[in-house]
Amino acid sequence: MALSILCGCKALQESSKYQFNEGTYKVKTPAHTGKAYVVISEDSIKVYPLNVPVFDSLKFIDLSLPDKTARPIGGRHSFVTNSFDLDLLTILFKYRPSVYGFPNQFTTHLNGAAYVGYRSDAFSVLYSKKPLYYKRHIEHYGYSMGGFLGMGATAMNPWVTRNNITEEYDGFVISKGIALNIAVNAFTFGLAVGWDHLMDRNRKYWIYQGKVWTGVTLGLNLN
């Protein structure tokens, strides 16, 4: 269900973070290393150095990286950009260590969170062999680290309250924590460390109140 929510939100906004577009990058190529403005075309990539006393739009480095070529082009051509990251996040499962003799627990209750972090996206220009030519393609990966705040549900019963309640129900919790995510196109996958706070009168009995958990996250980039 949480995955369906994430996929449905993709229509809200098409993100370009995971596309190699014109913009400012940290460039590392045989011809130039440093901060530069990059313009991409079918047959070349133009690099306008920015770490110069005076920027001149007429002075650029023309990297001959055509879309198709008879032979592969060697050398490393990498471009890195950093940005603010806003994601819609869900924790696929939470691992809770043993508390008061109660065994370790894996939980998969429905939850959602807003994630804010700092993200780096790296693009490398590579060539793959085709029957008649070599084709240019862009290899991309991204990663980010930040914090999240959200809400979810948790099972409430006598066992997780040390027999201080007799009923069984799903309690409402507020979750907070930090996450390290790896980006694959618009989606992110990662690890999280967090804390849950039950928001009803039985919070004083809940054995996991404010206790640390670890989990695996799935997210959708929103900006």
Side-chain angles (χ1 to χ4, degrees):
M1 183 176 180
L3 180 59
S4 300
I5 294 173
L6 288 176
C7 293
C9 289
K10 190 176 190 303
L12 294 177
Q13 184 175 357
E14 289 293 332
S15 174
S16 61
K17 281 176 178 286
Y18 50 90
Q19 299 173 349
F20 186 35
N21 293 325
E22 177 179 329
T24 301
Y25 294 85
K26 293 179 181 178
V27 177
K28 188 170 185 179
T29 72
H32 177 74
T33 298
K35 192 174 181 180
Y37 191 82
V38 175
V39 178
I40 304 146
S41 66
E42 185 175 347
D43 295 322
S44 68
I45 296 176
K46 293 181 173 62
V47 175
Y48 296 82
L50 296 177
N51 52 348
V52 293
V54 179
F55 176 77
D56 188 345
S57 62
L58 299 178
K59 293 182 178 180
F60 60 87
I61 300 166
D62 195 353
L63 303 177
S64 180
L65 297 168
D67 185 58
K68 297 177 182 179
T69 179
R71 56 182 57 86
I73 296 175
R76 181 182 180 185
H77 300 85
S78 65
F79 306 82
V80 178
T81 182
N82 300 315
S83 61
F84 164 80
D85 197 19
L86 177 62
D87 288 9
L88 179 63
L89 202 69
T90 186
I91 295 89
L92 298 178
F93 67 81
K94 297 175 183 178
Y95 167 74
R96 300 185 188 275
S98 175
V99 180
Y100 299 117
F102 196 68
N104 303 338
Q105 295 292 306
F106 282 92
T107 62
T108 58
H109 286 81
L110 179 66
N111 62 84
Y115 167 88
V116 178
Y118 184 74
R119 172 168 169 155
S120 293
D121 285 272
F123 302 87
S124 296
V125 181
L126 303 172
Y127 283 86
S128 57
K129 184 173 175 53
K130 302 296 181 182
L132 300 177
Y133 54 84
Y134 286 86
K135 173 72 173 176
R136 184 180 77 187
H137 70 275
I138 307 299
E139 183 180 84
H140 164 253
Y141 69 88
Y143 57 91
S144 70
M145 185 172 185
F148 63 87
L149 180 66
M151 62 186 69
T154 189
M156 293 297 296
N157 52 58
W159 299 281
V160 297
T161 59
R162 305 180 75 185
N163 294 311
N164 280 288
I165 67 172
T166 57
E167 66 268 29
E168 296 185 22
Y169 67 97
D170 286 334
F172 175 73
V173 297
I174 295 294
S175 299
K176 62 182 179 181
I178 58 175
L180 176 63
N181 295 322
I182 296 175
V184 179
N185 292 329
F187 292 96
T188 60
F189 304 85
L191 299 174
V193 176
W195 299 263
D196 287 345
H197 297 274
L198 185 68
M199 301 306 291
D200 64 38
R201 67 180 184 278
N202 292 319
R203 57 183 175 270
K204 62 183 177 181
Y205 303 128
W206 191 41
I207 61 175
Y208 297 121
Q209 181 77 358
K211 298 291 194 301
V212 67
W213 53 260
T214 56
V216 173
T217 68
L218 170 64
L220 176 67
N221 181 250
L222 298 179
N223 63 318

